[in-house]
Amino acid sequence: MRKFSKKGKVYAAAATLALVAASGGAAYAFWTNTGSGVGSGASGTNVAITVNQTGVVTGLEPGGAPQTLSGKFTNPNTSPVYVTSVTASIASVTKGGAVAVGCDATDFTLANATMGVGHEVASGTNVDSWSGATIAFNNKTSNQDACKDVTVNFAYSSN
């Protein structure tokens, strides 16, 4: 076995340090691998809007002029919703809080009951508008005193 001189040991140490310094002081190694995974995203939902009648209908009389129904929407959602149309119907005819006797929906004509909207309605209370249906008191050949002081109650739906 050969002995190194002090000078040879210094050269060997210097060469080792130079190699370590040239490589950044670290050794590199890695493995390759493959992988897979899954994820998902979910949509939200919305709640029904409310169709509000804002126009007041008063003074209906046999043979009188038709009166227009109109209103706005309450959209409680955080984003707009698309409304195609609003449909009105006569839900009941009442007198003094009870069903009217001798007066019913046949005493009235509801025309253009389906009203086109055809756009997005913003979120909020009493937003946007709808109108177009009319209500008229029919002029029958019989006595219509039973229809005095009645209230015609409407139901509204939207889609």
Side-chain angles (χ1 to χ4, degrees):
M1 184 146 95
R2 184 172 173 205
K3 284 188 156 189
F4 287 102
S5 67
K6 188 174 181 183
K7 196 176 188 182
K9 288 181 185 178
V10 170
Y11 286 136
T16 302
L17 283 175
L19 284 173
V20 169
S23 67
Y28 296 98
F30 61 90
W31 287 339
T32 61
N33 198 344
T34 61
S36 64
V38 296
S40 65
S43 65
T45 186
N46 63 4
V47 295
I49 63 171
T50 303
V51 180
N52 304 306
Q53 179 180 326
T54 55
V56 178
V57 176
T58 59
L60 290 171
E61 58 189 19
Q67 295 193 34
T68 302
L69 302 178
S70 62
K72 295 187 175 283
F73 301 96
T74 296
N75 176 5
N77 298 289
T78 58
S79 60
V81 295
Y82 190 87
V83 176
T84 302
S85 62
V86 170
T87 301
S89 62
I90 297 175
S92 64
V93 178
T94 58
K95 188 173 194 172
V99 174
V101 176
C103 184
D104 59 29
T106 64
D107 288 288
F108 301 90
T109 297
L110 182 60
N112 303 313
T114 299
M115 300 159 277
V117 177
H119 61 267
E120 287 186 336
V121 173
S123 61
T125 301
N126 287 322
V127 294
D128 216 306
S129 63
W130 56 268
S131 69
T134 60
I135 183 75
F137 196 140
N138 295 330
N139 191 12
K140 293 182 174 180
T141 57
S142 60
N143 183 329
Q144 291 179 282
D145 284 348
C147 289
K148 288 181 180 177
D149 297 319
V150 299
T151 300
V152 179
N153 301 293
F154 302 101
Y156 297 101
S157 63
S158 66
N159 63 5

